[in-house]
Amino acid sequence: TETKGAAVGFTYKLPHDWVVSADHSWSKSRVESQYQRQFGTPNLSQAINKGTVNILRDTTSFATDVTSYANFPITWTEAELNDTTLRGTGTVGSWYAGKITLATGIEHRAIESAGVPDFTPPPPPPTLREQSTNSVYAELNTPFISPEMDLAWASLLDVQLAVRHERFDVKTSKAKFDATSPTIGFRFAPNKQVMLRASYSEGFVAPNYSQLAEPSLAANLSTVTDPSRGNEVNAEVAILSGGNPSLEPESSKSTNVGLIFTPDFAPELRWSIDYYHIEKDNNISNLSAQQILTNEDIYASRVVRETVGSNDPFGVGKVIQIYTGPTNVLSMETKGIDTSLSYSFNTATAGSFLFNAGYTYVDEYLQQAVLGAAVIDHVNIPSRNDNGAPLKNRASASIQWIATDDLSLGWSTQYYGAYDLDPASVAAVLNQGSDKISSQIYHDLYVRTALFPSVVKSTIDGNAEITLGIKNVFDKKSIDMTQNNYYSRFNDPRLRQFYVNLKVSF
């Protein structure tokens, strides 16, 4: 993997509290990979199933040659991003409660990519893709009550009104989408200790060029369990994956209500709790081959079967091919609670300490696949969605000790609550030995210190610091048989990792 990037920008102060800024960023990345792929007819899986290749024996005494069933092509992807923004903020007027401010901006974002996907020889020509987004936004903040008014029953009330217009041009697929999205919100503080906040917003997400691309056959066959044939295991199913040129944009409506508490007795303590409710239409989602087959009554057009034989006891032929490209799920709705706590304090001799903690509870994650189908709650079943359906419970915490200006130490913890396997994934549940994955806790540690501070200061008039860290301190792992690598999606398969980071400023 190779990544290059550069950025340039400026900020210019104008009269009457106005500030104009502009940025341009460029990045280019290239990823190459080479690994063994199954190849030929029969392929390795078929040869093992038929007994042509025997892997259930001592391979140190009986060599197992699989090279005739494999090839080693190099696949690559290259992407280039250019992003230009121009923003302005300032005062547009004043009245009894204070200044009315406006923030506005425009942005142009362009992405070009090329690549060769996973393939069996001969290699296909590179896939070229191009997409751009143009947007303009404005946000008006108006105070109605300010602390300077010194009211006995209220300390603060301000209202935010915003609008954003975006135009998406997916040139590769000759598709264009545009939308205008509003936001309205307010903050109200009856006193300096408590603040209430709420907002309503609408959103719009256009499919990208990868999602709109023409579908293509995967290089390897897949294994599925067929409910229509008595849960028969079929290891010879071709997968048609890639994109879906018929995708429509996603649209959303979000409501948030929250409270912030900063008590007088501990001014460095801040606690917040927020309730969110998000509704999306035409939600773009990727379903696995097994999910599509399990819900064949909904996705019948995505499943191709053999012609049923006259003596077939199941009345339907074996599955030949399944199309797993992205689809517009009819709707998605989720709601839950986010809460966070932060506290910092200084000591006379031991430096300062900063503590942070957060907890998220997801009450539901509802999806409806097609009109008329049942609404299904996927919360706490992350394998239900390629992007990961949310866990019901997750939390994090960290503590940072700043001993001196030149030395600090930090510890962080991530907690992932126990979750369920998809009961439709019969093989995964059997391999797991359970339909649940236990809760997981991972810890990280770092130490940061100044490096030769007096020498660096005198030679380059700057500073240098080195950070030593450990990820997954206790080398914890969790097995999840629904994952291709059998590791939980919340656990890095590399397990414990050590890293060093050097930073020099001058």
Side-chain angles (χ1 to χ4, degrees):
T1 301
E2 182 182 70
T3 303
K4 303 174 183 176
V8 63
F10 70 85
T11 298
Y12 186 69
K13 294 183 179 180
L14 296 170
H16 309 295
D17 297 331
W18 271 87
V19 177
V20 174
S21 61
D23 297 281
H24 178 79
S25 62
W26 168 87
S27 64
K28 190 170 185 177
S29 63
R30 182 179 177 89
V31 179
E32 293 185 1
S33 62
Q34 181 180 28
Y35 55 93
Q36 177 178 301
R37 290 140 171 94
Q38 294 194 49
F39 174 65
T41 304
N43 61 35
L44 180 58
S45 296
Q46 294 167 334
I48 292 172
N49 291 337
K50 293 178 179 179
T52 306
V53 175
N54 184 5
I55 60 172
L56 300 179
R57 60 180 180 176
D58 182 4
T59 55
T60 59
S61 302
F62 304 93
T64 302
D65 183 11
V66 298
T67 55
S68 59
Y69 301 98
N71 66 85
F72 302 86
I74 296 177
T75 67
W76 59 271
T77 301
E78 192 169 81
E80 183 173 354
L81 167 67
N82 282 278
D83 192 351
T84 303
T85 61
L86 176 64
R87 298 176 299 276
T89 59
T91 302
V92 293
S94 297
W95 67 341
Y96 73 93
K99 295 180 179 180
I100 301 172
T101 60
L102 175 68
T104 185
I106 58 175
E107 179 181 10
H108 174 74
R109 182 182 180 90
I111 303 174
E112 297 180 359
S113 75
V116 174
D118 195 349
F119 67 92
T120 54
T127 301
L128 305 176
R129 296 167 177 168
E130 187 176 0
Q131 172 180 327
S132 65
T133 305
N134 294 294
S135 61
V136 57
Y137 76 91
E139 177 184 314
L140 188 69
N141 286 277
T142 305
F144 288 87
I145 299 175
S146 62
E148 290 75 18
M149 297 172 65
D150 198 25
L151 299 179
W153 52 273
S155 175
L156 175 71
L157 173 63
D158 56 36
V159 175
Q160 173 200 38
L161 297 174
V163 63
R164 182 182 185 91
H165 180 79
E166 296 174 287
R167 182 173 180 82
F168 301 84
D169 186 357
V170 188
K171 300 177 183 178
T172 306
S173 305
K174 298 180 180 179
K176 295 183 179 181
F177 310 98
D178 62 84
T180 301
S181 305
T183 297
I184 181 170
F186 75 88
R187 299 183 304 164
F188 172 68
N191 53 54
K192 295 181 180 180
Q193 299 182 67
V194 178
M195 178 182 291
L196 302 174
R197 59 186 179 186
S199 66
Y200 168 81
S201 62
E202 297 181 3
F204 175 91
V205 178
N208 59 41
Y209 46 60
S210 297
Q211 294 170 325
L212 290 167
E214 293 291 337
S216 59
L217 279 172
N220 299 328
L221 300 178
S222 290
T223 300
V224 296
T225 301
D226 193 343
S228 298
R229 293 179 60 84
N231 287 329
E232 175 184 85
V233 177
N234 185 346
E236 299 181 355
V237 178
I239 301 299
L240 186 65
S241 59
N244 180 357
S246 300
L247 284 178
E248 295 292 331
E250 298 178 343
S251 59
S252 67
K253 298 178 181 179
S254 302
T255 302
N256 290 269
V257 179
L259 178 147
I260 302 173
F261 180 54
T262 52
D264 284 341
F265 63 83
E268 301 302 324
L269 175 67
R270 184 183 187 275
W271 175 69
S272 68
I273 183 169
D274 291 275
Y275 166 83
Y276 66 86
H277 184 190
I278 303 172
E279 296 177 278
K280 292 177 68 178
D281 292 320
N282 286 334
N283 186 41
I284 297 175
S285 179
N286 285 87
L287 302 177
S288 68
Q290 184 63 61
Q291 290 171 315
I292 291 171
L293 187 58
T294 301
N295 299 280
E296 188 178 357
D297 55 332
I298 299 174
Y299 300 106
S301 62
R302 289 175 166 247
V303 179
V304 179
R305 293 182 178 270
E306 293 178 342
T307 302
V308 61
S310 56
N311 298 322
D312 195 310
F314 299 109
V316 294
K318 287 188 175 183
V319 176
I320 302 172
Q321 177 181 292
I322 298 177
Y323 173 39
T324 62
T327 181
N328 285 109
V329 177
L330 184 65
S331 66
M332 186 279 287
E333 181 179 1
T334 184
K335 57 185 177 182
I337 294 174
D338 283 320
T339 182
S340 64
L341 177 71
S342 64
Y343 181 62
S344 63
F345 63 92
N346 298 316
T347 67
T349 58
S352 60
F353 294 84
L354 175 62
F355 173 79
N356 287 284
Y359 168 70
T360 297
Y361 170 79
V362 181
D363 183 54
E364 61 184 21
Y365 188 82
L366 306 175
Q367 282 189 330
Q368 184 182 28
V370 294
L371 189 63
V375 176
I376 301 174
D377 191 354
H378 298 290
V379 71
N380 223 40
I381 311 178
S383 60
R384 283 271 180 88
N385 190 315
D386 281 357
N387 296 322
L391 297 182
K392 185 172 284 289
N393 298 282
R394 64 189 302 169
S396 63
S398 67
I399 185 168
Q400 184 179 12
W401 174 34
I402 305 173
T404 67
D405 291 340
D406 297 330
L407 176 64
S408 62
L409 183 146
W411 184 282
S412 63
T413 300
Q414 302 85 43
Y415 168 82
Y416 305 97
Y419 61 88
D420 302 320
L421 298 185
D422 187 348
S425 303
V426 178
V429 174
L430 290 174
N431 290 334
Q432 187 77 34
S434 171
D435 60 355
K436 294 185 180 295
I437 305 294
S438 300
S439 61
Q440 303 163 47
I441 301 179
Y442 304 105
H443 301 271
D444 302 328
L445 172 70
Y446 81 87
V447 177
R448 181 176 298 130
T449 184
L451 192 64
F452 309 119
S454 58
V455 175
V456 173
K457 181 66 178 178
S458 61
T459 54
I460 62 173
D461 192 22
N463 61 73
E465 62 181 30
I466 187 169
T467 303
L468 308 175
I470 307 175
K471 297 181 180 180
N472 194 356
V473 175
F474 299 111
D475 206 28
K476 295 290 186 178
K477 67 179 178 181
S478 181
I479 303 301
D480 183 344
M481 299 305 292
T482 64
Q483 294 288 98
N484 289 334
N485 58 16
Y486 307 129
Y487 279 88
S488 162
R489 67 185 64 225
F490 308 108
N491 180 212
D492 192 315
R494 293 172 292 184
L495 300 180
R496 182 190 291 125
Q497 300 164 58
F498 301 86
Y499 67 91
V500 179
N501 182 68
L502 176 66
K503 179 181 179 181
V504 179
S505 304
F506 56 90

